[in-house]
Amino acid sequence: DTIEIRGHRIRLHGVEAPESNQYCTRDRRRWDCFEASAQALERLIGRAEVVCVPVGTSFNRWVARCWVGGTEIGGWMVWAGWAVVSERYNRVPEYLRFEAEARAERRGLWSSRFIHPEDWRAGRRR
């Protein structure tokens, strides 16, 4: 849920991806869902130009909606199942529909059991 452009860390608005120390469970085995999510983001962006529109700041970094080509990155991450809607900061209604579709089709994180990243950060890991 964070990208870096020319040394600037940019938080994608309205989404939460797994934390670097977070794991998910699939078929009773732990798997590195953080790495899978990060790789999906890297594949989406590649070496393409990213355009961001800041919507605020958080923890000394920009919070923005960003696009690569015609694809809005945060929305795509939720649609593909590699991020979930932020329970605290989402103000993008279509993300809720994207998340419901990803969950129903068991894409990305939804193919496994996982703890919402906001809960993981807060130490609520049961």
Side-chain angles (χ1 to χ4, degrees):
D1 55 20
T2 301
I3 60 176
E4 187 170 320
I5 300 174
R6 294 187 199 124
H8 296 280
R9 292 177 53 80
I10 301 169
R11 175 89 159 79
L12 297 174
H13 173 70
V15 303
E16 296 283 344
E19 297 296 317
S20 61
N21 62 342
Q22 186 172 352
Y23 60 87
C24 299
T25 305
R26 183 188 295 147
D27 300 325
R28 297 189 185 137
R29 293 179 184 228
R30 288 167 68 155
W31 68 285
D32 191 345
C33 52
F34 164 78
E35 185 63 29
S37 177
Q39 287 177 0
L41 181 59
E42 287 176 14
R43 283 191 304 272
L44 174 65
I45 295 172
R47 294 190 165 280
E49 179 181 11
V50 175
V51 175
C52 296
V53 176
V55 297
T57 59
S58 178
F59 298 104
N60 294 324
R61 59 186 167 169
W62 294 341
V63 177
R65 291 188 72 183
C66 299
W67 289 260
V68 60
T71 302
E72 198 267 328
I73 297 170
W76 182 87
M77 290 292 288
V78 172
W79 175 87
W82 295 118
V84 296
V85 173
S86 171
E87 294 175 353
R88 294 175 56 194
Y89 300 111
N90 180 49
R91 289 183 178 68
V92 187
E94 65 265 27
Y95 287 5
L96 297 172
R97 182 174 45 87
F98 295 160
E99 184 176 280
E101 290 174 11
R103 181 185 301 206
E105 295 184 18
R106 300 186 53 80
R107 291 191 293 247
L109 301 173
W110 300 105
S111 69
S112 66
R113 291 177 21 128
F114 66 95
I115 297 169
H116 195 288
E118 287 172 317
D119 291 334
W120 182 272
R121 277 196 312 279
R124 296 185 295 267
R125 299 183 180 171
R126 292 185 182 197

